[in-house]
Amino acid sequence: NEVWGIERNGHEYAIIGSTAGTHFIEVTNPDSLFEAFFIEGNESGGRIIHRDYHDSGDYLYAAADEGNSTLQVIDISGLPEEIKVVYNSANLFSRAHNIFIDESQQRLYTFATSGGGRPFSPIRIYDISQSPTIELMVSYGAFGGRSVGHVHDGYVQDNVAYLNCGNDGFFVIDFTDVLEPVV
């Protein structure tokens, strides 16, 4: 399952996904680790084996790849005293294998995504500049004239996405104009 790290207000946290949900483990003092917070997943149990995380500004975004899942947006601005879920819905998507945020553009990229009233999408791009309000910008299943059946993982910086598309290969895509991406 995923491990992510954040630092807020002088405190460091390991964000750990489990079959139950999201664990915030304070690791500021390595000799005294403890679970500071826990957010239950929309679904939990043995069949939920993959969660993924990424943070931007005051928010942590959480997704899962199995079951009756949701996108969860967690306000982390109150750390170390509190965190709170500000969005927990399947309206945008219910499942995503991986997520990544291009900080410079305030865009959330979801990979191998389903739900939200749309068919499966190898990649979706969302505007998160007004978080926790999130808007779908575009959904893709083809790049450079080739259909892509699955995007397993990706890294995005300054509009350029590096995408592991499984058996379809590795793609580098410029999403400066999300409606006209350039391979």
Side-chain angles (χ1 to χ4, degrees):
N1 216 297
E2 177 73 334
V3 175
W4 190 251
I6 61 172
E7 184 277 329
R8 291 294 180 277
N9 302 317
H11 294 259
E12 296 178 24
Y13 300 90
I15 309 299
I16 307 210
S18 75
T19 58
T22 303
H23 305 265
F24 287 72
I25 309 299
E26 180 149 348
V27 297
T28 307
N29 178 354
D31 293 327
S32 180
L33 306 178
F34 64 94
E35 183 174 82
F37 299 98
F38 170 74
I39 301 292
E40 187 174 357
N42 192 62
E43 183 169 327
S44 60
R47 67 187 225 142
I48 308 297
I49 60 170
H50 187 86
R51 297 187 192 277
D52 206 53
Y53 305 98
H54 207 110
D55 67 293
S56 180
D58 290 333
Y59 300 101
L60 176 74
Y61 298 79
D65 193 18
E66 296 91 18
N68 184 24
S69 298
T70 60
L71 168 64
Q72 292 181 321
V73 181
I74 303 161
D75 184 339
I76 55 176
S77 64
L79 286 171
E81 286 80 28
E82 72 172 1
I83 61 173
K84 57 186 168 194
V85 177
V86 294
Y87 183 87
N88 183 18
S89 175
N91 287 341
L92 294 170
F93 63 88
S94 55
R95 295 168 49 176
H97 182 67
N98 275 312
I99 61 176
F100 197 88
I101 293 176
D102 183 353
E103 290 278 341
S104 69
Q105 304 304 309
Q106 289 296 284
R107 293 179 182 166
L108 169 67
Y109 289 74
T110 64
F111 307 115
T113 311
S114 59
R118 297 178 167 275
F120 174 84
S121 305
I123 185 171
R124 293 184 194 174
I125 305 171
Y126 297 88
D127 179 355
I128 60 167
S129 62
Q130 302 300 314
S131 280
T133 301
I134 304 166
E135 295 183 19
L136 176 65
M137 297 177 77
V138 68
S139 177
Y140 281 107
F143 306 105
R146 288 184 56 197
S147 289
V148 176
H150 183 82
V151 176
H152 179 76
D153 204 353
Y155 174 86
V156 189
Q157 184 173 358
D158 298 325
N159 292 315
V160 178
Y162 303 86
L163 305 174
N164 170 351
C165 298
N167 293 332
D168 295 317
F170 180 78
F171 285 79
V172 179
I173 312 289
D174 184 338
F175 283 107
T176 299
D177 180 349
V178 295
L179 299 178
E180 296 288 334
V182 177
V183 177

